[in-house]
Amino acid sequence: MRVGDIDVHPIADGTFRASPGYFGDHVTAHGHEDFFDRHGQAWLPIGTFLVRTGSSVVLVDTGLGPDLHDDGPRRLLVGGQLMVGLRAAG
């Protein structure tokens, strides 16, 4: 995305999947079909932004890093794709 003379590139570092219970004991998928998939799971990207100006390159947030947290159906957190995304962005 270009904003004036600034290029902003979203770069994925991984994925976060969670059941409604991760967000609180009172949370259900019912009524939140825009957030939870048909299996009652929320899928959220873990991301960073590469910002380029005429003379500078800035990485905003450095993602999760090569990490994995697997709590079964409650939560799955997978990171470590930042370098792949940076290479793809040049």
Side-chain angles (χ1 to χ4, degrees), residues 10-26:
I11 298 178
D13 184 44
T15 304
F16 173 67
R17 181 202 75 210
S19 66
Y22 176 82
F23 301 100
D25 293 336
H26 65 287

Side-chain angles (χ1 to χ4, degrees), residues 2-9 50-58:
R2 191 156 179 87
V3 179
D5 293 334
I6 299 171
D7 283 318
V8 180
H9 302 273
L50 183 68
V51 180
R52 290 182 175 142
T53 67
S55 61
S56 300
V57 177
V58 178

Side-chain angles (χ1 to χ4, degrees), residues 12-53:
D13 184 44
T15 304
F16 173 67
R17 181 202 75 210
S19 66
Y22 176 82
F23 301 100
D25 293 336
H26 65 287
V27 178
T28 66
H30 180 71
H32 301 281
E33 290 78 13
D34 57 330
F35 189 69
F36 295 101
D37 68 14
R38 63 187 172 143
H39 303 292
Q41 298 290 309
W43 290 85
L44 306 166
I46 300 169
T48 66
F49 293 94
L50 183 68
V51 180
R52 290 182 175 142
T53 67

Side-chain angles (χ1 to χ4, degrees), residues 50-75:
L50 183 68
V51 180
R52 290 182 175 142
T53 67
S55 61
S56 300
V57 177
V58 178
L59 183 62
V60 179
D61 194 342
T62 56
L64 175 68
D67 207 353
L68 171 68
H69 297 280
D70 188 351
D71 299 331
R74 181 173 165 79
R75 174 184 73 156

